[in-house]
Amino acid sequence: LRTRCSAACVAVRASDGEASLRAANLPTEVWQPPSREQQFERLTSEEFDLLVVGGGATGAGVAMDAASRGLRVALVEGSDYMSGTSSKSTKLIHGGLRYLAQAFQRKIPPRSLLDVFLNLRFDPEYLRIVAADLSERAWMIQSAPFMAKALPMMVPLYRWWEVPLFWVVGNMYDLIAGAGRGVPPSSIVSVEEARFQVPSLRSVDPDGNNLVGGLVVYDGQQNDARMGVHIILTAIQQGAACVNYASIESLLFADGKGAGDVGARVCGARVLDRRSGKSVDFKATQVRSF
């Protein structure tokens, strides 16, 4: 007997041998963020512990963190979220291949094999940075695969000694990342494969050395705008009031004092809704701009 249920059902074998279907108590409601109008209305009806000015990566992160700690948070952004500096990033999630090199070399890049030996050193602090960054890279790729992915990059090699050296570098990079690195392993490719993958690759470097191969190493890439919007949504879900296309006209001060007065204390801000042209005053104990 096949039974179709609109709700999720789980087949459970009863003690008397008969099969019965029991509806699983799975959540069916999906959280929906409040409208912009509802959030703007909160600015006039509530008093906030923190006003965050700027809906970029830093402002969004501060708002989310503060709201998750129980603070009453408001965030205003004059344009689209993540439309400023945060939208101009490389979008890379990298562990720092250069940091790994700096852990063992005082000067990079080395120009000869002799340079490699003359500039040898060991700085564990760089290794700690690489390990922390690679751990964060794996977490971002595995926890949000819909907006973060593995990204292959090629380092062209023009000297024979660079092939074994960068083979060690690539494998050490993977070793530090561990089995749960979230990206494919590094590899050395031939000249033919390097040219096939990157047709614009130079066959000869400025010093006259011929291409001898390439190191393919993987890092991560994220959709930074989408990541930022998800952080904003998480802040709203934690109770923050976030409004875009709203700019700060002026700060409000307690006891009738002004910005230049001794002992002036911020008690709120005047915000302009750029859509309606309406200005509102609201209370906030602290104001931080990012």
Side-chain angles (χ1 to χ4, degrees):
L1 177 65
R2 294 183 179 179
T3 305
R4 294 185 179 180
C5 304
S6 57
C9 295
V10 177
V12 181
R13 181 65 60 183
S15 58
D16 60 357
E18 295 181 356
S20 63
L21 292 175
R22 297 180 182 175
N25 293 323
L26 300 177
T28 57
E29 293 186 3
V30 178
W31 176 80
Q32 294 290 339
S35 66
R36 180 182 181 277
E37 290 70 24
Q38 290 173 313
Q39 294 190 82
F40 195 85
E41 182 63 28
R42 287 183 57 192
L43 298 183
T44 59
S45 60
E46 298 181 23
E47 183 174 347
F48 297 93
D49 299 313
L50 174 65
L51 166 63
V52 177
V53 182
T58 304
V62 169
M64 181 187 70
D65 185 79
S68 66
R69 295 172 188 271
L71 295 178
R72 295 167 297 179
V73 180
L75 180 146
V76 295
E77 163 61 43
S79 186
D80 285 324
Y81 296 124
M82 313 296 149
S83 62
T85 304
S86 298
S87 67
K88 311 300 188 294
S89 72
T90 63
K91 301 173 177 56
L92 287 177
I93 315 168
H94 65 94
L97 200 61
R98 186 180 181 87
Y99 292 150
L100 180 59
Q102 287 178 304
F104 299 97
Q105 290 285 293
R106 281 188 292 269
K107 183 183 73 172
I108 54 174
R111 308 301 299 176
S112 66
L113 189 57
L114 181 61
D115 261 359
V116 175
F117 288 104
L118 291 178
N119 290 290
L120 277 176
R121 70 168 182 184
F122 177 64
D123 189 338
E125 184 60 32
Y126 282 105
L127 289 182
R128 282 191 285 268
I129 293 173
V130 173
D133 289 350
L134 289 176
S135 176
E136 190 68 19
R137 182 193 72 182
W139 167 252
M140 292 180 70
I141 292 175
Q142 293 170 7
S143 64
F146 55 92
M147 58 180 169
K149 62 180 180 180
L151 178 71
M153 297 180 290
M154 183 180 292
V155 180
L157 307 176
Y158 290 96
R159 300 172 179 87
W160 68 265
W161 52 266
E162 290 181 338
V163 175
L165 177 64
F166 278 83
W167 180 86
V168 172
V169 170
N171 280 274
M172 185 176 293
Y173 199 54
D174 295 340
L175 181 64
I176 296 173
R181 58 182 175 267
V183 299
S186 304
S187 62
I188 294 290
V189 298
S190 65
V191 176
E192 293 75 16
E193 181 65 18
R195 288 174 175 166
F196 176 77
Q197 296 293 343
V198 187
S200 60
L201 205 59
R202 291 185 299 187
S203 298
V204 181
D205 73 356
D207 296 329
N209 300 300
N210 293 321
L211 183 70
V212 296
L215 169 69
V216 177
V217 63
Y218 287 81
D219 266 321
Q221 186 179 45
Q222 66 162 340
N223 184 326
D224 53 357
R226 191 172 184 182
M227 176 72 77
V229 170
H230 272 74
I231 294 174
I232 290 287
L233 289 172
T234 304
I236 295 172
Q237 194 172 34
Q238 293 292 327
C242 302
V243 180
N244 59 355
Y245 287 92
S247 55
I248 300 294
E249 288 189 319
S250 61
L251 297 177
L252 305 179
F253 295 88
D255 304 323
K257 294 185 177 181
D261 297 338
V262 177
R265 181 175 59 86
V266 173
C267 65
R270 177 165 295 166
V271 177
L272 170 67
D273 183 352
R274 294 176 59 190
R275 287 189 173 181
S276 66
K278 176 183 177 183
S279 295
V280 297
D281 294 346
F282 72 98
K283 298 179 180 179
T285 306
Q286 296 287 330
V287 179
R288 293 292 181 267
S289 177
F290 299 98

